[in-house]
Amino acid sequence: MKTYKRFILTIVLTVLFTAVLSAQNPIIRDQFTADPTARVFNGKVYLFPSHDIKAPEEFKRKDWFCMEDYHVFSSSDLTDWTDHGVIVTQKNVNWVDPATFSMWAPDCIERNGKYYFYFPANVKTGHGRGFGIGVAVADKPEGPYTPEPEPIKGITGIDPVVFIDKDGQAYIYYSMNRLFGAKLKENMLELDSEVKVLGDFPTKGLVEGPFFFERNGIYYMTYPHVEKNTERLEYAISDNPLGPFKVTGVIMDESESGCWTNHHSLIEFKNQWYLFYHDKDLSPNFDKNRSARIDSLFFNPDGTIQKVKPTLRGVGLTNASKKIEIDRYSKKGDAGVSVAFLDTTNTFKGWKTIFDKQNSWIQYNSVDFGKKKAKSVSAMVSARDGGVIQIRLNNNQGPVISEMKIPAGSGWNTVNAKVSKSKKGVQNLVVTSMSNNPVEIDWISFK
Ligand code: FUB
């Protein structure tokens, strides 16, 4: 009976705390998600970000990072993300000082069927000093996770990243104004060597956020580094997990938004490499409330990494019958088209596209029409003086598949139109305004 009750409770909790989110960049839109560490477990991508929140009354540093717990998210297509809810909170970790709201960038790794979640936080008096790194262990990536009673002995630092080499030796890397590395015991809970200060990296402007992986026998240490004003992503390579390393190149330039931090991770999923990183999309005026993004990443044949250009479109296919948010565009014309928040007092409501010139256009790539041709299209629009928009395939000179007349009126309205000459499969779309009247579009969707 007890087991049955627990089973029912688990189902109820899963339903309550599992939300399906569908997004481009940023990939999670109902909360802030910083420091995105992605891992592939059992054919799915799991995202372990840290969780920026607005500072509560009791946290006095209103200008600083404020983080009290971690969620885990999963996706099998990088487009639809499931939030599995909170896996670790500062309230339930014995050694964490909950007054500091300092649950910073985490990592997670699987060994022998167990999942080890590593997280930094400020320790309570009597449990070490400064930042410690703790471990919580689970049987499934979604949890439940049980935190170890003390942080890992011998480590003071932040931003852990854990790596298991082909010979089974595990390593932990972390930072504290420099990069550090050490071997981990097979239990994944204790150090198995002295901590080594990893030299060979910039001595100024590298304070945090390493990531580590191996590909084709090359060991890559990737890290944020402030060359000018804010963190850009760089990488170094080695033929040994603990170096020496050779600084090799830049993966992503400083963000145009001015977001000071850029924490990241890299994964290979279904034969494509991806860069997970963050920016301040949902909080343009405060860069301690960040959001996770993904873009594709490519290697050159010699193992060097091509620079990634951040995009709003992100990765993955968008189902044509879902709401296609064209404000997460792939390309746009030079004049007469812009993107703005739907509601500046609640940025979680998302964005809209504003056209205010004839022939202004925006392009949204990789829309999946599946095996059937679309027959009609709907759009959520607002146009005080009315307007006309055309939807084309391929590019802004491509064939027109629909023309929508938008009646004059105030507020948001759904408008429907016929689609002709539509195609099956994955298509790029271009939406063009045919009038000089201002027209705003929240989304479009096909049937
Ligand atoms: O999120 C808090 C800190 O900001 C992380 O630990 C760093 O990597 C930086 O992103």
Side-chain angles (χ1 to χ4, degrees), residues 364-381:
Y364 185 102
N365 289 350
S366 304
V367 176
D368 190 2
F369 286 83
K371 293 190 174 126
K372 285 188 186 161
K373 291 185 179 176
K375 297 215 165 82
S376 67
V377 59
S378 320
M380 182 59 82
V381 294

Side-chain angles (χ1 to χ4, degrees), residues 34-35 50 52 65 67 104-105 158-159 208-209 261 263 278 290:
D35 307 327
S50 44
D52 291 337
F65 303 105
M67 299 135 113
W104 285 15
I158 60 168
D159 300 355
E208 57 188 7
T261 62
H263 195 104
H278 71 215
R290 299 151 297 174

Side-chain angles (χ1 to χ4, degrees), residues 23-304:
Q24 305 84 43
N25 279 335
I27 55 172
I28 312 289
R29 309 274 184 84
D30 66 344
Q31 61 197 285
F32 300 117
T33 47
D35 307 327
T37 299
R39 295 289 180 190
V40 180
F41 296 136
N42 315 318
K44 267 170 130 179
V45 178
Y46 284 85
L47 179 66
F48 297 89
S50 44
H51 184 197
D52 291 337
I53 54 170
K54 304 243 189 244
E57 179 55 29
E58 68 268 30
F59 188 62
K60 299 295 172 213
R61 288 198 64 182
K62 304 294 179 207
D63 61 342
W64 195 235
F65 303 105
C66 184
M67 299 135 113
E68 65 178 344
D69 58 26
Y70 300 99
H71 287 227
V72 61
F73 301 82
S74 69
S75 176
S76 44
D77 58 9
L78 298 172
T79 300
D80 293 330
W81 289 90
T82 301
D83 180 357
H84 300 281
V86 172
I87 50 168
V88 173
T89 152
Q90 59 177 12
K91 291 184 203 111
N92 296 344
V93 186
N94 179 46
W95 56 268
V96 171
D97 178 356
T100 59
F101 288 85
S102 55
M103 310 291 273
W104 285 15
D107 189 14
C108 188
I109 199 158
E110 184 268 340
R111 177 159 214 158
N112 298 332
K114 292 241 179 268
Y115 295 84
Y116 296 85
F117 179 73
Y118 296 81
F119 58 98
N122 270 117
V123 300
K124 270 185 198 154
T125 315
H127 296 266
R129 63 190 168 84
F131 267 93
I133 291 179
V135 193
V137 187
D139 293 326
K140 288 187 292 173
E142 297 88 352
Y145 283 86
T146 307
E148 289 293 300
E150 294 295 334
I152 301 176
K153 234 190 218 147
I155 294 186
T156 300
I158 60 168
D159 300 355
V161 56
V162 175
F163 166 72
I164 303 175
D165 206 357
K166 285 197 280 277
D167 62 4
Q169 178 64 58
Y171 297 84
I172 184 163
Y173 303 91
Y174 60 96
S175 49
M176 189 43 88
N177 299 322
R178 286 183 290 181
L179 300 185
F180 301 88
K183 289 183 178 174
L184 273 181
K185 286 191 180 162
E186 195 163 346
N187 67 12
M188 303 301 277
L189 305 173
E190 293 169 279
L191 295 187
D192 199 19
S193 73
E194 293 289 304
V195 171
K196 187 174 174 197
V197 177
L198 304 176
D200 318 317
F201 293 97
T203 49
K204 265 196 193 160
L206 196 183
V207 296
E208 57 188 7
F211 189 73
F212 194 89
F213 64 98
E214 182 268 348
R215 179 180 176 272
N216 296 341
I218 302 177
Y219 296 93
Y220 293 80
M221 176 72 82
T222 60
Y223 53 90
H225 172 231
V226 182
E227 177 69 18
K228 287 194 196 132
N229 301 312
T230 61
E231 290 180 340
R232 69 180 192 186
L233 301 178
E234 299 178 3
Y235 72 105
I237 58 171
S238 179
D239 53 13
N240 187 303
L242 291 173
F245 289 92
K246 182 174 175 280
V247 170
T248 307
V250 176
I251 302 174
M252 179 172 272
D253 286 327
E254 289 184 11
S255 166
E256 284 177 10
S257 77
C259 185
W260 196 88
T261 62
N262 194 0
H263 195 104
H264 70 295
S265 60
L266 284 85
I267 54 163
E268 186 181 21
F269 181 59
K270 297 186 179 166
N271 300 319
Q272 172 64 51
W273 280 81
Y274 296 98
L275 176 71
F276 285 68
Y277 61 103
H278 71 215
D279 209 319
K280 54 172 185 161
D281 300 83
L282 294 167
S283 172
N285 301 322
F286 183 49
D287 70 354
K288 310 290 181 291
N289 283 173
R290 299 151 297 174
S291 295
R293 291 166 154 233
I294 321 176
D295 274 299
S296 301
L297 176 142
F298 299 90
F299 286 85
N300 294 312
D302 65 357
T304 53

Side-chain angles (χ1 to χ4, degrees), residues 302-366:
D302 65 357
T304 53
I305 300 176
Q306 295 179 12
K307 219 187 243 185
V308 178
K309 205 172 154 22
T311 73
L312 293 177
R313 175 62 188 84
V315 300
L317 301 178
T318 302
N319 189 311
S321 64
K322 289 205 175 157
K323 288 178 182 167
I324 305 165
E325 295 168 36
I326 55 172
D327 47 74
R328 307 294 87 195
Y329 59 88
S330 309
K331 262 190 204 172
K332 68 180 178 57
D334 292 335
V337 64
S338 58
V339 167
F341 284 115
L342 283 165
D343 178 351
T344 50
T345 64
N346 180 1
T347 58
F348 291 118
K349 287 189 181 163
W351 295 265
K352 60 186 175 185
T353 307
I354 306 169
F355 299 87
D356 50 25
K357 211 172 169 193
Q358 190 174 28
N359 294 325
S360 52
W361 58 271
I362 206 157
Q363 179 165 338
Y364 185 102
N365 289 350
S366 304

